Amino acid sequence: MGMTFRTLAEAVGVTPSHIWAIEHGQANPSLDLVVRLARALDLELEVTLRPPIIHGDRRQIDLVHAWVSGYVDRRFSTSGWNTAREVEIIHGRSHGWIDLLAFDRTSGTLLVIEIKTRLDDLGAIERQLGWYERSAMAAARELGWLPRRTISWLLLLATEESDWRLRQNRDAIAPGFRGRQPDMLRLLANPAAQWRSGHGIAMVDPASRRRDWLIRPRLDGRRSAAPYLDYRSAASSLIKA
């Protein structure tokens, strides 16, 4: 527009050096100054406020989810893994909480664990796990851990409802969730064991005391009924217990 630093500075009431700093990204102008700059430069100013994109909102931690999360945490801790629950991660406008990180110092294996009491949108969960897996290394280092590989697992509350939803989504599960209960138990016993690409998927019953506490979904050949019919029956049973 043929304006010098001095001309623009005089128009908005600041020094030429401040205009230079704004142009070079070295100043933090007030909104009032931005408005004055826009008027002097004959620009239209629009301000858009957007909430952050929330993944795995920590407010979903209801009683049943807390029971399952605590149960999984105890299982890993008693097996010698280091654990951290509700690990906050932020990248740009994306904001989420990893339900559980489990780390084996000897092998350098880091597990990113997402816990669901219901299975609503498998595609969204898979994208969420992918983002968590990419962000987990940095989060682990902040905890003082030095992972050499990252693996992500989806653990579902063991209900007939989740079994039914898994069968309905069998075509989507096959390519993305290649790790199944036998692979996951093998990794728990030997954290240095090889892992096929893709996420792991299994079910859990927070009331179970079995040594092999990861449960195969019906999709993978389990014939027995799930411990709970649905979320409501699980909540009722666990509260009574």
Side-chain angles (χ1 to χ4, degrees):
M1 296 180 66
M3 297 180 70
T4 64
F5 283 154
R6 184 173 299 279
T7 302
L8 181 57
E10 290 176 352
V12 298
V14 298
T15 63
S17 61
H18 193 53
I19 298 296
W20 183 94
I22 292 172
E23 276 203 357
H24 289 80
Q26 297 179 13
N28 184 22
S30 66
L31 182 58
D32 177 65
L33 177 54
V34 172
V35 170
R36 298 203 307 272
L37 284 167
R39 288 174 179 165
L41 296 170
D42 197 24
L43 299 175
E44 182 178 340
L45 175 67
E46 291 184 358
V47 178
T48 303
L49 302 178
R50 296 188 181 94
I53 300 170
I54 302 296
H55 298 272
D57 189 347
R58 60 183 170 185
R59 288 172 296 182
Q60 84 159 29
I61 306 300
D62 53 36
L63 189 57
V64 177
H65 188 283
W67 270 327
V68 178
S69 181
Y71 172 81
V72 174
D73 187 4
R74 288 191 299 274
R75 284 290 193 163
F76 274 98
S77 297
T78 55
S79 297
W81 294 69
N82 297 111
T83 62
R85 291 169 65 181
E86 287 300 299
V87 178
E88 185 176 22
I89 54 172
I90 302 173
H91 181 74
R93 290 183 55 240
S94 294
H95 195 169
W97 290 266
I98 298 173
D99 284 329
L100 180 71
L101 284 179
F103 178 61
D104 176 72
R105 292 185 181 275
T106 303
S107 65
T109 299
L110 178 68
L111 291 180
V112 179
I113 299 170
E114 178 68 12
I115 296 167
K116 295 294 185 186
T117 54
R118 296 186 180 94
L119 185 60
D120 297 319
D121 186 338
L122 188 64
I125 293 172
E126 188 171 1
R127 292 189 295 274
Q128 182 178 337
L129 276 173
W131 177 50
Y132 286 176
E133 192 170 335
R134 292 189 299 272
S135 305
M137 282 281 192
R141 292 190 188 100
E142 290 185 4
L143 294 168
W145 303 344
L146 299 174
R148 293 193 288 275
R149 64 170 177 170
T150 305
I151 299 167
S152 56
W153 287 4
L154 172 61
L155 299 183
L156 301 169
L157 176 65
T159 65
E160 288 292 313
E161 178 186 29
S162 290
D163 267 324
W164 179 82
R165 290 190 177 275
L166 287 174
R167 290 198 300 269
Q168 294 296 111
N169 290 275
R170 67 172 67 239
D171 292 338
I173 290 171
F177 293 86
R178 300 179 62 191
R180 300 305 175 88
Q181 183 248 23
D183 308 304
M184 298 162 80
L185 289 175
R186 191 177 305 115
L187 189 70
L188 285 175
N190 177 17
Q194 289 189 343
W195 179 262
R196 65 181 71 188
S197 62
H199 313 302
I201 186 169
M203 308 178 89
V204 294
D205 173 10
S208 173
R209 298 182 183 275
R210 292 171 56 92
R211 179 180 177 184
D212 294 340
W213 52 278
L214 294 176
I215 301 171
R216 282 190 302 170
R218 281 186 182 269
L219 182 67
D220 293 338
R222 194 191 81 245
R223 295 185 178 182
S224 59
Y228 311 105
L229 178 62
D230 53 19
Y231 175 89
R232 179 173 295 184
S233 69
S236 176
S237 177
L238 291 168
I239 288 172
K240 289 178 182 178

